[in-house]
Amino acid sequence: MRRRASRLWLIPAVIIGFNCLGFILILTLGIGKAEKERAAVSADTVSEDGADMADAGLDESFYEEDIPEEDIYAYSSGYVLLLTSSESDLQIQILKDDGSPASGIRWEADVSDDSGDYEFKAYDEDEDGIIYVGEIEAGDYSVEVFDGIGITETSGISVKPKIRYTASSGIRSIVMQESQINAAVEDTALTSEDKKEESGFSGIELPAGTLGIDVSKYNKNIDWERVKAAGVEFAIIRAGYRGSSTGVLVEDPYFRQNLVGAKEAGVKIGVYFFTQAVNEAEAREEAGAVASLVDVRDLSLPVFLDVESSGNAHGGRADGLDTDTRTAVVKAFCEAAEDLGYDAGVYANKTWMTKYINMEELAPYTKWLAQYNTAGPTYTGDYSIWQYTSSGTVDGIQGRVDLDIML
């Protein structure tokens, strides 16, 4: 009896053990269920965030670290900060995504050098999207612009005595394509007074020289082999233009194919850029735009700045410049082009060369004269090329084409 009684303590021990195991099992199942519920909530949250991002037009990949800067910029303020500098000055431009100026806003710029010893504020007083600062000391600068309601953009630039172009803050190119703009209101030079008033080119007495043409998108597709066979020795091809309305820089949509076609046919090449620059900084920017489009090694002739009326019925942005300002603009372009390694020149008609540009200031550069409706030029100044008609015909080109003679 005593031995049986001594083993009775095992019964409660076994009961307690089973109870402990049951408790542990219940606790484990509860923890697992809680983890699953938390995971479901997390998944729902991610899904909802993703839906919110999709509704906002954003992609989750935007938050990955390896996304290119230009793609990330697309989700920022919608403005582009463009800085240009030449000879100790600074131009601050704020552009919309389509390349047009962010006008109508009184932008403020905080400018400081990297040492922190030199800093100042500048303002867009006329609200045209451009802040110009002259006589700034050479050095590395940080520029931050504000619109007064919370939008800011920041970039940096090195101001040097020699020309230097810097485009940052996500900008892919300072030169736009026509598909990105309203070309009908920007590219208006075809309707200039010279071309509208030309009556033909009968009776012209051509001097001895080399026959050439100048072409743009308006001449459409050109058979350059036939052009060469027709006796054309050189072509001055439009690289692009500054819009007469907003001032956006635009590549001529036929420039690249014309450049390749003329080169392959053995036609000597020059280029021109239609200006609507209103100051020297913009003129230097136009020279930089040309340099971004054509290699100097492809050219046998200069880079010309095309200076004429915009043809804009409402008045182009540069039409009203006074003679001194316009001359300074042309000179700045030519100097910048030559600093970049190109030969430089100016194209204008007799009236503009006589009344609206001080040609004596441009003595070092090649002159390309346009004068129609005359047996020979009556302009008494210096020139090397004469554009004698805009109504010529050449085999390989459909419709009318500008004809030139190089003296």
Side-chain angles (χ1 to χ4, degrees):
M1 290 293 296
R2 279 196 301 267
R3 183 178 304 169
R4 185 180 303 170
S6 65
R7 294 178 180 175
L8 289 176
W9 65 268
L10 292 174
I11 295 173
V14 171
I15 293 172
I16 292 172
F18 276 114
N19 288 337
C20 289
L21 287 174
F23 175 78
I24 291 171
L25 180 59
I26 292 171
L27 180 63
T28 301
L29 291 174
I31 292 174
K33 182 178 180 181
E35 287 294 331
K36 289 181 179 178
E37 289 176 350
R38 279 195 295 268
V41 171
S42 177
D44 288 342
T45 302
V46 171
S47 176
E48 289 172 2
D49 289 345
D52 290 342
M53 293 168 62
D55 290 341
L58 303 181
D59 191 302
E60 291 182 28
S61 61
F62 165 70
Y63 294 98
E64 297 175 7
E65 294 182 355
D66 60 349
I67 297 298
E69 182 182 353
E70 59 267 25
D71 291 340
I72 293 176
Y73 181 74
Y75 300 100
S76 65
S77 71
Y79 292 103
V80 171
L81 175 60
L82 172 63
L83 309 178
T84 57
S85 174
S86 173
E87 299 179 359
S88 300
D89 64 1
L90 172 63
Q91 179 169 268
I92 304 166
Q93 287 183 268
I94 306 94
L95 307 176
K96 299 176 184 177
D97 280 344
D98 63 359
S100 62
S103 56
I105 299 173
R106 191 175 185 272
W107 293 95
E108 173 188 328
D110 284 349
V111 183
S112 61
D113 66 355
D114 286 356
S115 67
D117 296 332
Y118 184 53
E119 58 184 56
F120 59 90
K121 291 183 179 291
Y123 300 91
D124 183 7
E125 300 287 357
D126 53 3
E127 298 185 358
D128 62 352
I130 300 173
I131 303 173
Y132 182 76
V133 181
E135 300 301 323
I136 186 173
E137 296 180 7
D140 294 327
Y141 287 85
S142 175
V143 178
E144 185 172 12
V145 297
F146 309 86
D147 72 340
I149 58 173
I151 293 177
T152 66
E153 286 293 340
T154 305
S155 186
I157 189 171
S158 294
V159 175
K160 305 286 186 182
K162 286 291 185 180
I163 189 167
R164 179 183 177 90
Y165 294 92
T166 300
S168 56
S169 188
I171 192 167
R172 289 180 285 275
S173 173
I174 63 173
V175 182
M176 310 293 285
Q177 301 298 313
E178 280 204 337
S179 60
Q180 299 172 285
I181 65 160
N182 185 347
V185 300
E186 302 292 357
D187 188 14
T188 55
L190 186 68
T191 56
S192 65
E193 291 302 314
D194 280 341
K195 292 179 170 61
K196 287 192 293 186
E197 294 178 0
E198 186 183 9
S199 60
F201 64 102
S202 60
I204 292 177
E205 298 175 4
L206 290 178
T210 304
L211 178 64
I213 58 175
D214 56 276
V215 297
S216 68
K217 73 178 186 183
Y218 296 105
N219 302 107
K220 302 189 183 301
N221 295 305
I222 297 173
D223 187 332
W224 284 98
E225 295 294 339
R226 290 168 60 188
V227 168
K228 173 67 174 177
V232 173
E233 295 294 330
F234 71 91
I236 306 176
I237 304 169
R238 188 173 74 162
Y241 59 91
R242 185 185 287 276
S244 62
S245 179
T246 65
V248 62
L249 297 172
V250 188
E251 178 182 348
D252 187 293
Y254 281 78
F255 174 63
R256 296 181 189 275
Q257 73 179 60
N258 281 334
L259 186 69
V260 171
K263 184 177 180 180
E264 291 179 348
V267 176
K268 294 180 180 179
I269 300 169
V271 300
Y272 73 94
F273 192 93
F274 176 77
T275 183
Q276 280 289 287
V278 297
N279 57 43
E280 295 174 50
E282 286 192 353
R284 298 185 188 105
E285 186 181 70
E286 290 177 354
V290 172
S292 74
L293 293 172
V294 61
D295 193 312
V296 67
R297 293 170 294 184
D298 289 329
L299 303 182
S300 303
L301 302 175
V303 169
F304 292 94
L305 190 66
D306 178 355
V307 189
E308 57 181 303
S309 167
S310 68
N312 191 321
H314 304 290
R317 64 197 302 271
D319 288 352
L321 296 181
D322 59 74
T323 299
D324 289 343
T325 301
R326 181 174 288 108
T327 303
V329 164
V330 178
K331 189 174 181 179
F333 175 91
C334 291
E335 289 176 345
E338 296 213 331
D339 283 345
L340 292 166
Y342 300 82
D343 292 330
V346 55
Y347 165 92
N349 63 30
K350 177 190 174 182
T351 301
W352 281 58
M353 284 189 176
T354 303
K355 296 182 178 180
Y356 304 136
I357 307 172
N358 184 355
M359 298 304 292
E360 293 180 359
E361 293 288 322
L362 306 174
Y365 310 112
T366 303
K367 316 302 187 304
W368 176 16
L369 168 69
Q371 188 178 1
Y372 308 154
N373 302 322
T374 179
T378 59
Y379 174 67
T380 58
D382 176 48
Y383 60 95
S384 301
I385 303 173
W386 173 30
Q387 183 189 81
Y388 58 89
T389 182
S390 64
S391 301
T393 57
V394 172
D395 186 38
I397 300 178
Q398 296 181 5
R400 54 188 273 181
V401 62
D402 298 344
L403 298 181
D404 306 272
I405 191 81
M406 185 183 299
L407 307 179

